[in-house]
Amino acid sequence: MIVATGHTDNPPAADGSLGRDSPEAGRSRSTECILDAVEAVDADGVVVCLSGGIDSATAAALAVDALGASAVTALIMPTDTTAEAAVADARAFADSLGVDRETVALAPAVDVFKRYVAPRIAPAGDVYAAGNLAARLRMACAYLVADATNALVVGTSNRSERLLGYFTKYGDGAADVFPLAEHDKTAVRALATRLDVPPEIVSKPPSADFWPEQTDESELGAPYAALDRVLAALLAAADDATPPEPVDEAASVDRETVERVVERVAGSAHKREYPPAPPRPAETELGVADALGGGLVDGGDRAAAAVADARDLVCARAESADADGVVVDLGAGVDAAVTAAIAADALGPERVRGVHLPCHKAAGFATPTPESIADRVGIDCDRVTIRPLVAELEAALPARIAEEADASGLAEFVSRVRMACRYYVANAESLLVAGTTTRTDALLGRATPYGDGAADLRPLGGSYASELGRLCQQVGLTDMGSDDPALAVDSLPLGSADLTPGAVAPADREDWGSPDDHARTDSILAHLVDRDLGIERTAATLGVDRETVRRCAERHVRAERTGTAPPTAPGERDRRRYFHEIELQFESDTRPAAGGSLDSTAER
């Protein structure tokens, strides 16, 4: 579930800030945003990560405003770079709000990572890689607590940070609801004062705590007041809301500051968008008529086009990011094998890093091993068991959380910790993370939000799972099983939670079945999504019972509504409404939002 308050149509304030109306009006919209998000999924409350800074304090106060103190849990998660004064401020403010607070000491877990994991996968990590790791581990812990208590995670990123990219991708930029997404830093300060956040927190220099005495403004090169004026002037100019006045004059700042802001906004665009995937072919190119008989790819030509599109995506993203290459998690089975092969073909094997991050020593002994995939594709692969790191994090969490968390929540926790390790490699070695999820995974929500679904690009995002066999042939992996049965493509696992050796991710169990079952699911999705035929026509066209199609449609709609996204305001994240969504609304006695009858697809 991703919800954020949207910006208003009012003009910029006199001080040039992006907060376009009174603190009280902003407060009302932000609390409504939190309340709507909780009610939409019938959650019992929210989790807020308190740092001792103004943004998290304001977000926590808004949550209490919206839900009451009993529905808010504050997590304080310091590392060895966190100032003691910040921890004290966070605890005191949580107590003043009357919320339940828990302190999760991350320093021991980070120390385990630095001593045991980092030397085996990325010994060159710097303070930025370490700081981003800590932010992502906080996110993983927050989501485990939220999953165990039926709560949502409240994000604390404000609009200034979002536009400047001053947040950790899939770290503090990962949450379910973003009540500060419309407020720039100037507006947050006004809102915090209205919410009775203590003056010592409001006036404190903002810091990400990546190292002692770090401050946001020293890194950004200007005070937030000036940065907010530049951002407001840039947005106003883009909207043609002001005369064509030079931005530096409109914002009353020097030209160099404007150029730095423009560069930051452009360079951080990837943090504000979904990981790109290759385009899906037009309907006339789809082999959906034969889907139930053996996959959606219509012969070798389409498979070649799919691989070419994926290869082009890898090249384009690596070039635009000026990255040295990509890192691929080779523990994801056939998806990982195809992804690694495409990346190696696009960039050269020397620019592709494989990692394998099992949570148990026994994991990875199934055939083929990630090391075997790496050898076949011709890339390097580093393997390290992350169980010591996971165990240290579990020990730091409140005992009741481990007791209340179910298998699915624990599996997603491991997936998010694994993601944090992958991104440490990427940050340390100037690489992009190439995701291994397919179009099927995305449409059904089978990937863990901010876990295995977190990436910088998704080479397989334009292909259904049942198409992977043809893609394997196209990238030269068909002979993996010709001489050695242990390396047969068909034996590759489609996914594993890796909580225990051989475990299957709980989210995948209802989809687990034969290749024919996967092909049927993909064919239904192709008709529902690519062709937008709706439930009735899809069932009739494929000769599949309506209930099966309806369940698939429900899963897709749920994935669409609860899918992960960066801290984005409505209007910046357009979501298409499909005909089957309207049908499901009609079935639940809800008036179709698009208007018209179920016989018409003219309006959506």
Side-chain angles (χ1 to χ4, degrees):
M1 166 64 69
I2 298 294
V3 182
T5 50
H7 59 74
T8 69
D9 294 326
N10 297 326
D15 62 2
S17 70
L18 300 179
R20 292 174 170 82
D21 51 14
S22 69
E24 193 57 41
R27 172 182 183 174
S28 177
R29 285 195 309 278
S30 294
T31 54
E32 184 179 354
C33 166
I34 296 172
L35 185 60
D36 288 348
V38 169
E39 290 180 346
V41 296
D42 197 24
D44 293 331
V46 296
V47 173
V48 185
C49 297
L50 272 185
S51 66
I54 185 174
D55 295 319
S56 63
T58 304
L62 288 169
V64 171
D65 214 16
L67 307 171
S70 62
V72 179
T73 297
L75 291 182
I76 303 168
M77 295 184 276
T79 66
D80 57 359
T81 62
T82 306
E84 291 184 7
V87 176
D89 286 343
R91 288 173 175 163
F93 185 64
D95 291 343
S96 72
L97 291 176
V99 302
D100 180 29
R101 69 167 168 87
E102 300 283 358
T103 299
V104 180
L106 288 185
V110 173
D111 182 62
V112 166
F113 178 87
K114 290 180 178 179
R115 289 188 295 106
Y116 179 75
V117 180
R120 292 167 172 80
I121 58 174
D126 58 12
V127 291
Y128 288 100
N132 286 323
L133 171 84
R136 292 176 178 122
L137 293 181
R138 288 189 184 100
M139 178 276 298
C141 292
Y143 265 97
L144 181 60
V145 173
D147 289 342
T149 57
N150 188 35
L152 297 182
V153 176
V154 172
T156 62
S157 294
N158 61 59
R159 189 168 174 82
S160 304
E161 293 170 337
R162 184 176 67 83
L163 291 174
L164 294 168
Y166 199 72
F167 60 90
T168 296
K169 189 174 185 178
Y170 306 126
D172 56 323
D176 296 312
V177 55
F178 294 91
L180 301 181
E182 74 163 40
H183 305 289
D184 69 353
K185 197 73 169 188
T186 303
V188 169
R189 285 178 173 139
L191 183 58
T193 300
R194 178 60 63 96
L195 290 165
D196 295 324
V197 175
E200 58 269 24
I201 292 180
V202 175
S203 61
K204 182 189 304 183
S207 172
D209 282 332
F210 276 23
W211 59 83
E213 307 301 326
Q214 179 203 20
T215 65
D216 294 5
E217 294 179 347
S218 63
E219 278 201 276
L220 294 171
Y224 270 114
L227 296 171
D228 287 345
R229 291 198 302 272
V230 174
L231 291 170
L234 289 171
L235 290 175
D239 292 338
D240 293 325
T242 60
E245 181 181 7
V247 171
D248 53 340
E249 295 180 14
S252 301
V253 298
D254 60 274
R255 185 68 184 173
E256 185 179 341
T257 298
V258 174
E259 291 174 352
R260 281 201 307 270
V261 170
V262 170
E263 184 177 354
R264 270 193 168 273
V265 171
S268 62
H270 66 97
K271 292 186 174 185
R272 298 183 295 274
E273 64 183 20
Y274 288 99
R280 186 69 193 162
E283 177 185 327
T284 54
E285 298 179 53
L286 288 170
V288 289
D290 300 322
L292 295 180
L296 296 172
V297 171
D298 191 12
D301 290 345
R302 171 60 198 129
V307 170
D309 288 343
R311 190 167 52 238
D312 290 345
L313 173 69
V314 174
C315 289
R317 296 300 287 192
E319 181 178 356
S320 65
D322 195 24
D324 291 340
V326 299
V327 58
V328 182
D329 190 336
L330 297 186
V334 65
D335 314 52
V338 177
T339 300
I342 289 172
D345 190 29
L347 303 175
E350 70 282 356
R351 295 181 63 190
V352 180
R353 275 284 309 278
V355 293
H356 181 213
L357 305 165
C359 192
H360 286 267
K361 290 184 178 180
F365 290 168
T367 56
T369 65
E371 290 79 5
S372 298
I373 297 174
D375 288 343
R376 179 65 185 83
V377 178
I379 64 175
D380 292 332
C381 178
D382 293 313
R383 180 187 189 277
V384 60
T385 301
I386 62 170
R387 183 59 202 169
L389 173 60
V390 171
E392 197 67 56
L393 289 168
E394 290 174 338
L397 286 161
R400 64 180 178 86
I401 297 302
E403 295 171 358
E404 295 173 6
D406 59 17
S408 178
L410 290 171
E412 292 188 341
F413 176 63
V414 171
S415 179
R416 292 178 178 119
V417 173
R418 188 176 285 123
M419 177 278 299
C421 296
R422 277 198 304 274
Y423 264 94
Y424 184 87
V425 176
N427 293 162
E429 301 186 6
S430 188
L431 304 174
L432 298 179
V433 173
T436 59
T437 55
T438 64
R439 182 168 175 79
T440 307
D441 297 326
L443 294 181
L444 294 180
R446 293 197 306 195
T448 297
Y450 308 125
D452 54 339
D456 296 312
L457 66 156
R458 298 180 295 122
L460 301 184
S463 300
Y464 286 100
S466 57
E467 296 176 321
L468 291 181
R470 292 281 180 88
L471 298 187
C472 281
Q473 296 174 16
Q474 194 64 39
V475 297
L477 296 180
T478 50
D479 61 337
M480 289 180 70
S482 59
D483 298 319
D484 184 356
L487 295 180
V489 170
D490 289 342
S491 73
L492 284 162
L494 292 178
S496 171
D498 193 23
L499 279 175
T500 57
V504 176
D508 285 341
R509 284 192 181 123
E510 64 183 273
D511 302 311
W512 200 255
S514 68
D516 286 344
D517 293 330
H518 290 295
R520 181 183 65 176
T521 297
D522 288 346
S523 185
I524 292 171
L525 287 171
H527 283 73
L528 287 174
V529 178
D530 298 335
R531 289 186 168 184
D532 199 11
L533 295 185
I535 297 172
E536 301 292 346
R537 292 172 63 192
T538 294
T541 301
L542 295 177
V544 178
D545 67 280
R546 185 185 184 282
E547 181 60 23
T548 298
V549 177
R550 188 186 66 79
R551 286 200 305 269
C552 194
E554 285 183 333
R555 183 83 180 262
H556 171 245
V557 170
R558 185 165 68 247
E560 283 280 297
R561 290 177 176 172
T562 62
T564 60
T568 304
E572 298 172 0
R573 182 194 177 202
D574 295 327
R575 186 175 69 82
R576 175 182 176 182
R577 285 180 59 81
Y578 293 91
F579 192 47
H580 59 268
E581 184 173 0
I582 299 174
E583 289 178 291
L584 290 171
Q585 283 186 332
F586 185 83
E587 286 184 5
S588 62
D589 296 325
T590 302
R591 185 179 181 85
S597 70
L598 289 178
D599 295 327
S600 172
T601 59
E603 295 183 58
R604 295 191 180 89

